Amino acid sequence: MSCSPGEEGGPSKAAPNVNTQELLDTPSGTAAAGTTPENPVSPVVDEASPCSTSSFEMLDMESVPAPYQEVQPHWFFCRRAEESTSWLPFSREDSEKLENAWTTVNEKKEEVVIAVEGERYDVHVKGRKRYAVYWEQAPTEVRRCTWFYKGDKDTRFLPYPEDFSQRLEEAYMIAVTLDEWKTKLEFPTGETVILHNPKLIMQYQPIGLQDEWVSSPSEQTRPRTVKRAVENISVEIPDGEPDKVDHLVFMVHGIGPACDLRFRSIIQCVNDFRSASLSLLASHYKRAQQDGGIGRVEFLPVNWHSALHGDATGVDEDIQRITLPSISRLRHFTNDTLLDLFFYNSPTYCQTIVDTVASEINKLHTLFKQRHPEFNGAISVVGHSLGSLILFDLLTNQRNGSDGVPSDEPFRLNSATLEQILTRLGLQQYLDTLQAENLDLESLALCQDSDLKDLGIPLGPRKKILNYVKRKWLPEDCRTGAVRLAPGLQVPPPETSDPDGNQPSGLTVQQTQFHRAQSITSAVDYEYFDMGIGQVSIDYPQLAFHPQTFFAFGSPIGMFLTVRGLKHIDPNYTFPTCKSFYNIYHPYDPVAYRIEPMIVTETDLEPMLIPHHKGRKRMHLELKDSLTRMSMDLKNNVLGSLRTAWQSFARLPVAALPPVEEGENTTQRDLQETLVAAVCEEAESSSSTEQTEQPEIKVGMLNGGRRIDFVLQEKPIESFNEYLFAIQSHLCYWESEDTALLLLKEIYDKQGVAFEQPQQ
């Protein structure tokens, strides 16, 4: 075969010079690119070259054309960004499922829904649409792809529409079967595709307004390279995810709609974190995966920003009316992002935020259990920035024991039916509307006002339904204003008291509940004050499960607790329903604060350094430690030499010293001993500090007696300027493999799965 670049699939230099009219005038299509009609060369002889061993062998091999083989399709989905559109392949497992369903659709002419990508998306095969399951997202297009093209400015091959690909496949089949190439294929849209040979197929764009002497499409635009089948294009097909889910993690975002410097949503950032965890499972838990001992960890995003800034609250319109017109972009950013901090400190909007977070988590939990009925693993929660404070307050005010919400029964339902409830409320006309959405009493209890509004139910009936559900169907703890007090969380008492020395009127030490009916200005007994209250008028809803671990990323929890007046956390305090807590932060994160100093006040503890996912410290940190040790050794050597010299000087013969008075001799001797002792003490203390390991210190029961504060290792470039990377440091956790590995180790250590450090 020829050794020309065209054999490798790249655009041939001779292809643009092909005369389209000559191709049409040649019946057999034997005029090759770069040849002339006066000297025609047959395809077989033309492909023989010095690269081949024998022209006769080539003739024998090519005399019988290769049989036509049907193309193997692969399914792709479209991802649209603000300024670009890209097509990404499904995994091979998902593509095979879609292909089998496509066969069923053609036979039965009925819609078939296939769960893909870890059952986070549903594909309607007949309608060629991909729908998100756990979050709101516009449906995206899906294609059964067989032919692809790539232009000069394209970074990757893009799939043709299915009808276009079908015509190309038919022309290719005829060319292979008859062994007739140099075929020109024209489409109604004006595109022209020329099949030069099996390896070289080019597409020419439609010819627009042109001069009379332009006779070839190659003279108007650069052609596109055309490829058949996904195996012939450079595309990375993702590995399929294990079906088994070992652990479920809900991730709550912080302020604003964007979660990183690329202004991506919480959905996109969680997708990145999930991908990092799958990669780390394949590398650090390889043996356990191969043995089938583990599956995967599912991460689901929890979005509360859209509910706060949506039409239901109307807060954006109220803020916009009072916003100044100058520096509009900066003011819009402030209104959309920074004001979330103030909203959370407002009793009105704080209630909206905690209700949204809790109901969204419970809704996702119920939906996940419906789609994974075999799931029996534990559940954890992750909060970033303000999201960690929201989860902290929720977990502080959960119920445990018989008063709590059972993990397998989040709602208490009796034998009453949805129809009976609506009839009792005089709203039976909305029964068909609710049943059309497959809403039962349990799912109705998870609905918010905006959900019923989307169904077209007016405001009055919505309020009746939601009020009845809250009073009758939610657990007692979910609909009362009860907030548990935690005696272990102590705040200094106020300086004022009444003339008799009694506590201010209001709550007493014996009282165990706050009620939402009380005003924010109600007097509170500050001797025992719950750090998770925030505002005493907030009804903290209950989660439908007991979290195993709470991970806080870049968290301001410590600062907010201090501002609320809390100075010390009792070492015996634990969350009522969650027994593990990790405070993870970047050393340059301007929003992050520590927790351990509020528990262990008598000792200055350094945070735990999170290991690099490759199994060692970063190079610049190792160099820094080495320089520290070198300077310490140098200091010890200098001090040791000084001590030896001073001792030698102090032991000089008595005859060499001038006579002194007895009192003066005593003073000088004391001074010498003092100096020698000081030098020796400093040298010994400096060396012992380096050699002696710090004993293990209990840091309370908030994390089961284990360490709480964990710090990431900064990157080498970040160490040059802390201020330059401060904002990036607060947003780095979503793409941090070190953070993801810490979560996986905590999760699988509890399951007894061994961790493997891959060899570098």
Short mmCIF file of all heavy atoms in Angstrom, two decimals, residues 638-669:
data_model
loop_
_atom_site.label_atom_id
_atom_site.label_comp_id
_atom_site.label_asym_id
_atom_site.label_seq_id
_atom_site.Cartn_x
_atom_site.Cartn_y
_atom_site.Cartn_z
N VAL A 638 26.89 25.02 66.59
CA VAL A 638 27.47 26.27 67.08
C VAL A 638 27.32 26.38 68.59
O VAL A 638 28.27 26.73 69.31
CB VAL A 638 26.82 27.47 66.36
CG1 VAL A 638 27.26 28.78 67.01
CG2 VAL A 638 27.17 27.44 64.88
N LEU A 639 26.13 26.07 69.08
CA LEU A 639 25.91 26.16 70.52
C LEU A 639 26.75 25.13 71.27
O LEU A 639 27.27 25.38 72.36
CB LEU A 639 24.43 25.97 70.84
CG LEU A 639 23.50 27.10 70.36
CD1 LEU A 639 22.04 26.74 70.64
CD2 LEU A 639 23.86 28.41 71.03
N GLY A 640 26.90 23.95 70.66
CA GLY A 640 27.74 22.94 71.30
C GLY A 640 29.19 23.36 71.37
O GLY A 640 29.87 23.15 72.40
N SER A 641 29.69 23.96 70.29
CA SER A 641 31.08 24.44 70.30
C SER A 641 31.26 25.55 71.32
O SER A 641 32.28 25.62 72.03
CB SER A 641 31.46 24.94 68.90
OG SER A 641 31.33 23.91 67.95
N LEU A 642 30.27 26.45 71.39
CA LEU A 642 30.34 27.53 72.36
C LEU A 642 30.35 26.99 73.78
O LEU A 642 31.08 27.47 74.65
CB LEU A 642 29.17 28.49 72.15
CG LEU A 642 29.11 29.70 73.08
CD1 LEU A 642 30.38 30.56 72.94
CD2 LEU A 642 27.87 30.54 72.79
N ARG A 643 29.54 25.98 74.02
CA ARG A 643 29.49 25.38 75.36
C ARG A 643 30.84 24.76 75.72
O ARG A 643 31.35 24.92 76.82
CB ARG A 643 28.38 24.33 75.41
CG ARG A 643 28.30 23.59 76.74
CD ARG A 643 27.24 22.51 76.71
NE ARG A 643 27.52 21.57 75.64
CZ ARG A 643 26.75 20.51 75.35
NH1 ARG A 643 25.64 20.33 76.04
NH2 ARG A 643 27.08 19.69 74.38
N THR A 644 31.43 24.03 74.76
CA THR A 644 32.73 23.40 75.02
C THR A 644 33.81 24.44 75.29
O THR A 644 34.64 24.30 76.21
CB THR A 644 33.12 22.52 73.82
OG1 THR A 644 32.09 21.56 73.59
CG2 THR A 644 34.44 21.80 74.09
N ALA A 645 33.81 25.51 74.48
CA ALA A 645 34.82 26.55 74.67
C ALA A 645 34.67 27.23 76.02
O ALA A 645 35.65 27.53 76.71
CB ALA A 645 34.72 27.57 73.54
N TRP A 646 33.42 27.48 76.41
CA TRP A 646 33.19 28.15 77.68
C TRP A 646 33.59 27.27 78.86
O TRP A 646 34.18 27.74 79.83
CB TRP A 646 31.73 28.55 77.79
CG TRP A 646 31.45 29.37 79.03
CD1 TRP A 646 31.03 28.93 80.25
CD2 TRP A 646 31.65 30.77 79.18
NE1 TRP A 646 30.92 29.95 81.13
CE2 TRP A 646 31.30 31.11 80.50
CE3 TRP A 646 32.08 31.78 78.31
CZ2 TRP A 646 31.37 32.40 80.97
CZ3 TRP A 646 32.14 33.06 78.79
CH2 TRP A 646 31.79 33.36 80.11
N GLN A 647 33.30 25.97 78.75
CA GLN A 647 33.69 25.07 79.82
C GLN A 647 35.21 24.98 79.93
O GLN A 647 35.78 24.89 81.02
CB GLN A 647 33.09 23.69 79.59
CG GLN A 647 31.59 23.64 79.80
CD GLN A 647 31.00 22.28 79.46
OE1 GLN A 647 31.67 21.46 78.82
NE2 GLN A 647 29.77 22.05 79.89
N SER A 648 35.90 24.99 78.78
CA SER A 648 37.36 24.94 78.80
C SER A 648 37.93 26.20 79.44
O SER A 648 38.89 26.16 80.21
CB SER A 648 37.90 24.79 77.37
OG SER A 648 37.42 23.61 76.78
N PHE A 649 37.31 27.33 79.10
CA PHE A 649 37.76 28.59 79.69
C PHE A 649 37.53 28.61 81.20
O PHE A 649 38.34 29.11 81.97
CB PHE A 649 37.03 29.76 79.02
CG PHE A 649 37.35 31.09 79.63
CD1 PHE A 649 38.57 31.72 79.38
CD2 PHE A 649 36.44 31.73 80.47
CE1 PHE A 649 38.86 32.95 79.94
CE2 PHE A 649 36.73 32.95 81.04
CZ PHE A 649 37.94 33.57 80.77
N ALA A 650 36.39 28.01 81.62
CA ALA A 650 36.07 28.01 83.05
C ALA A 650 37.00 27.10 83.84
O ALA A 650 37.17 27.27 85.05
CB ALA A 650 34.62 27.57 83.25
N ARG A 651 37.65 26.10 83.17
CA ARG A 651 38.53 25.17 83.86
C ARG A 651 40.01 25.54 83.74
O ARG A 651 40.90 24.71 83.85
CB ARG A 651 38.31 23.75 83.32
CG ARG A 651 36.97 23.15 83.71
CD ARG A 651 36.98 21.65 83.44
NE ARG A 651 37.14 21.37 82.02
CZ ARG A 651 36.14 21.18 81.16
NH1 ARG A 651 34.88 21.27 81.61
NH2 ARG A 651 36.37 20.92 79.89
N LEU A 652 40.36 26.80 83.44
CA LEU A 652 41.75 27.22 83.34
C LEU A 652 42.47 27.05 84.69
O LEU A 652 41.82 27.17 85.74
CB LEU A 652 41.84 28.68 82.90
CG LEU A 652 41.50 28.96 81.43
CD1 LEU A 652 41.55 30.46 81.17
CD2 LEU A 652 42.47 28.24 80.50
N PRO A 653 43.79 26.78 84.67
CA PRO A 653 44.52 26.62 85.94
C PRO A 653 44.41 27.87 86.82
O PRO A 653 44.38 28.99 86.34
CB PRO A 653 45.96 26.40 85.49
CG PRO A 653 45.85 25.89 84.09
CD PRO A 653 44.63 26.53 83.52
N VAL A 654 44.36 27.63 88.12
CA VAL A 654 44.19 28.74 89.06
C VAL A 654 45.38 29.68 89.01
O VAL A 654 45.24 30.89 89.15
CB VAL A 654 44.00 28.18 90.48
CG1 VAL A 654 43.88 29.32 91.50
CG2 VAL A 654 42.79 27.28 90.54
N ALA A 655 46.59 29.13 88.74
CA ALA A 655 47.79 29.98 88.74
C ALA A 655 47.77 30.99 87.60
O ALA A 655 48.44 32.01 87.66
CB ALA A 655 49.04 29.12 88.64
N ALA A 656 47.03 30.66 86.54
CA ALA A 656 47.00 31.56 85.39
C ALA A 656 46.06 32.74 85.61
O ALA A 656 46.04 33.67 84.81
CB ALA A 656 46.60 30.81 84.14
N LEU A 657 45.23 32.67 86.64
CA LEU A 657 44.26 33.72 86.88
C LEU A 657 44.79 34.66 87.94
O LEU A 657 45.45 34.25 88.90
CB LEU A 657 42.93 33.12 87.35
CG LEU A 657 42.21 32.22 86.34
CD1 LEU A 657 40.98 31.61 86.99
CD2 LEU A 657 41.83 32.99 85.10
N PRO A 658 44.49 35.94 87.78
CA PRO A 658 44.93 36.89 88.82
C PRO A 658 44.15 36.68 90.10
O PRO A 658 43.01 36.23 90.07
CB PRO A 658 44.63 38.24 88.18
CG PRO A 658 43.53 37.97 87.21
CD PRO A 658 43.79 36.60 86.69
N PRO A 659 44.77 37.01 91.21
CA PRO A 659 44.06 36.84 92.48
C PRO A 659 42.90 37.83 92.61
O PRO A 659 43.00 38.98 92.19
CB PRO A 659 45.14 37.13 93.52
CG PRO A 659 46.12 37.99 92.81
CD PRO A 659 46.13 37.54 91.39
N VAL A 660 41.81 37.30 93.14
CA VAL A 660 40.63 38.14 93.35
C VAL A 660 40.15 37.94 94.76
O VAL A 660 40.50 36.98 95.45
CB VAL A 660 39.50 37.77 92.36
CG1 VAL A 660 39.92 38.09 90.94
CG2 VAL A 660 39.15 36.30 92.48
N GLU A 661 39.29 38.88 95.11
CA GLU A 661 38.69 38.75 96.43
C GLU A 661 37.71 37.58 96.45
O GLU A 661 37.18 37.17 95.42
CB GLU A 661 37.97 40.05 96.79
CG GLU A 661 38.88 41.25 96.87
CD GLU A 661 39.86 41.13 98.01
OE1 GLU A 661 39.53 40.43 99.01
OE2 GLU A 661 40.96 41.70 97.92
N GLU A 662 37.44 37.08 97.65
CA GLU A 662 36.57 35.91 97.79
C GLU A 662 35.15 36.20 97.31
O GLU A 662 34.53 35.42 96.61
CB GLU A 662 36.55 35.46 99.24
CG GLU A 662 35.69 34.22 99.46
CD GLU A 662 35.71 33.77 100.90
OE1 GLU A 662 36.48 34.36 101.70
OE2 GLU A 662 34.98 32.84 101.22
N GLY A 663 34.62 37.34 97.63
CA GLY A 663 33.26 37.68 97.19
C GLY A 663 33.17 37.82 95.70
O GLY A 663 32.23 37.36 95.05
N GLU A 664 34.22 38.47 95.13
CA GLU A 664 34.22 38.63 93.68
C GLU A 664 34.36 37.28 93.00
O GLU A 664 33.77 37.03 91.96
CB GLU A 664 35.36 39.57 93.29
CG GLU A 664 35.39 39.89 91.81
CD GLU A 664 36.52 40.84 91.48
OE1 GLU A 664 37.13 41.39 92.42
OE2 GLU A 664 36.76 41.05 90.28
N ASN A 665 35.14 36.39 93.56
CA ASN A 665 35.32 35.05 92.98
C ASN A 665 34.00 34.29 92.97
O ASN A 665 33.66 33.61 92.01
CB ASN A 665 36.38 34.30 93.78
CG ASN A 665 36.76 32.98 93.11
OD1 ASN A 665 36.51 32.81 91.94
ND2 ASN A 665 37.37 32.08 93.87
N THR A 666 33.26 34.41 94.03
CA THR A 666 31.96 33.72 94.11
C THR A 666 31.00 34.26 93.06
O THR A 666 30.29 33.51 92.37
CB THR A 666 31.35 33.89 95.51
OG1 THR A 666 32.28 33.41 96.47
CG2 THR A 666 30.04 33.15 95.62
N THR A 667 30.99 35.56 92.88
CA THR A 667 30.10 36.17 91.88
C THR A 667 30.47 35.72 90.48
O THR A 667 29.61 35.39 89.67
CB THR A 667 30.17 37.69 91.98
OG1 THR A 667 29.86 38.09 93.32
CG2 THR A 667 29.20 38.34 91.01
N GLN A 668 31.77 35.71 90.20
CA GLN A 668 32.21 35.31 88.87
C GLN A 668 31.89 33.84 88.61
O GLN A 668 31.48 33.47 87.51
CB GLN A 668 33.71 35.56 88.73
CG GLN A 668 34.25 35.24 87.33
CD GLN A 668 35.73 35.58 87.22
OE1 GLN A 668 36.32 36.07 88.18
NE2 GLN A 668 36.28 35.33 86.07
N ARG A 669 32.04 33.01 89.65
CA ARG A 669 31.74 31.59 89.48
C ARG A 669 30.26 31.38 89.20
O ARG A 669 29.86 30.58 88.35
CB ARG A 669 32.17 30.83 90.73
CG ARG A 669 32.06 29.31 90.54
CD ARG A 669 32.43 28.58 91.82
NE ARG A 669 33.75 28.94 92.30
CZ ARG A 669 33.99 29.64 93.40
NH1 ARG A 669 32.96 30.05 94.14
NH2 ARG A 669 35.21 29.94 93.78
#
